Amino acid sequence: MAAQSKGERVFRGIAVSAGVCRGKTLVLHRARHIIARREIPDGEIVQEVTRFEQSLVQTRKQISEVQRKVVQNMGAKEADIFDAHLLMLEDRMLVDEVIKLIREQKANAEYAFHTVAQRYIEALAGVNDAYLRERAADMHDLNGRVLDNLLEVKDAFNLQHLAEPCILIGHDLSPSTTAQLDKKLVLGFATDIGGQTSHTAIIARSLGIPAVVGLKTISDELQSGDYALLDGYNGTLIINPTDQTLFEYGQLAKIRASLDEKLRAIQRQPAVTLDGKIIHLSANIEDQNDVESVILHGAEGVGLLRTEFLFINRDSLPGEEDQYKVYRQIAAALKPQPVIIRTLDLGGDKFASHLQLAKELNPFLGWRAIRFCLAQPELFRAQLRAILRASAESNVKMMYPMISGLDELNQANALVEKCKGELRAEKVPFDENLEIGVMIEIPSAALIADSLARRAKFFSSGTNDLIQYTLAADRTNERVSHLYEPTHPAIVRLIKTIVDAAHRNGIWAGVCGEIAGDPVLTQLLIGLGVDELSAAPTVIAPVKYIIRRLKLDEAKALAEFALQSESPTEILARCMELARAAAPSLFESKT
Ligand code: PEP
Ligand code: MG
């Protein structure tokens, strides 16, 4: 769209959450400190030592303040990390070493502190003890804070202190930070790294905040306070947009407004093709706060409740009762529409700080989801009991994530039976016929889909993971995002395998990965025989819009073409061509 012009800078990344916003940037990185060595005249040494000591006092105050806020907002455990920082600040050896350097080598305070801190960091990073190695990161953090104070750099990292609306720019945002963003103050965000299906991106979509990731070194290149325009449709961040660019985006806003009107008009209509094929269109949500959005956007219940978000961002594990209340509340609010509760999927890129899990080299291939739950039967039991109890509402279904083989399914089901037995004995009501489904998100599960289908009531393909595991392309890594291709023939064929196995065994097959919310791929998925699509509430309307303009026969022909094709780009191009022909207005905001 906008041409490069003087003053205007355009950065291109990966568009992960639709929408356009404008505002001042807030760069979430510690400003790079330029640590020059200066020789301090003899007469000013005492003053320099005092300056150093004052910076420590100031840093201590700031850390205590942050700690107090974290305790208040998130709980005592999350605030523990700051104890380590405070202890380091008070480490006499470290302080004395710095003062010695100032006095003996006439070094300026920032140079002296940085030199000593670096020595500590290197020593800590080199030891063979995971705990001490983590202290290197604490020291690094502390080094930044003290240098900020010595160099009078303002701390830009505290999201609690946002004074005005801004566009956040950072190296990365964790899913838990993203989940806590205040939509009124964070207009959008852009990060150096990340991918289309990282949980950070998924949450941005569910919050409806425009986001662009994979902008490489953006957080190093930009300053806070620049005026920017973030285009989450096309994946661009424009700094100092020219009048011409702003004008073009004004036109785009008009196009969007007219599309929004069309989408609103079908909100209460069913998701049915022109020739009468009904697709169940449901929503992916994180917690009870999303229920309103499910209803507002016209989704038919919930196809994926990511329960792990009840475990993240709090200071202790939610017990059976806490969970029961949330699940029941969601089920009751959406009755009679179904609510599919996915059992805990911690690990990968989602961690609960209070669980203190050891760092793994390959977290997506590691102790995650059902693997973690089966190894923590008490924790799993609490969740299963909570879901079973909520199933008394009668519209609850449950599914397991990351099933790789029959054993895991059998073990999980055995635990469910045990919980049912307990509840019966306690005379606690639950749905005896609770339907249990399996997420198919590991290639091994797709390849044994027939066996799984005989033991499940439905399938839901977690294509975010299925794609990453099949193509060996980390879903959060922008460097391999070019390999992360939903239209790769291997993926198309796997989806067909899954759907066919489900239908052969008399069960339905849905898709709840992010491709379910991409109107470009809707026709392909329907053509492959997918019965249900579950996507972020904010993208339900465009998917419904295109479904209502498709014909099943044409969708089947597209799927046939894709199953014969050897090229991801050829399949994508055909999908794109047909989607644009069926619903041109959906694509007018793309350049
Ligand atoms: C998926 O993998 O497609 C999925 C829906 O689950 P998650 O994104 O939470 O891993
Ligand atoms: Mg998954």
Side-chain angles (χ1 to χ4, degrees), residues 442-490:
I442 300 184
S444 60
L447 295 170
I448 58 157
D450 268 304
S451 306
L452 293 168
R454 284 195 284 276
R455 295 162 174 85
K457 288 283 191 270
F458 62 91
F459 279 168
S460 185
S461 288
T463 46
N464 302 336
D465 281 316
L466 187 65
I467 297 169
Q468 85 163 339
Y469 295 134
T470 305
L471 304 177
D474 182 342
R475 60 195 268 191
T476 66
N477 186 340
E478 73 290 352
R479 292 204 183 102
V480 292
S481 64
H482 62 292
L483 296 173
Y484 190 99
E485 292 177 295
T487 52
H488 191 292

Side-chain angles (χ1 to χ4, degrees), residues 199 304 306 342 350 368 441 462-465 475 512-513:
H199 285 95
L304 167 65
R306 286 187 165 95
R342 191 257 301 272
K350 288 172 292 194
R368 188 189 157 190
E441 45 186 355
T463 46
N464 302 336
D465 281 316
R475 60 195 268 191
C512 62

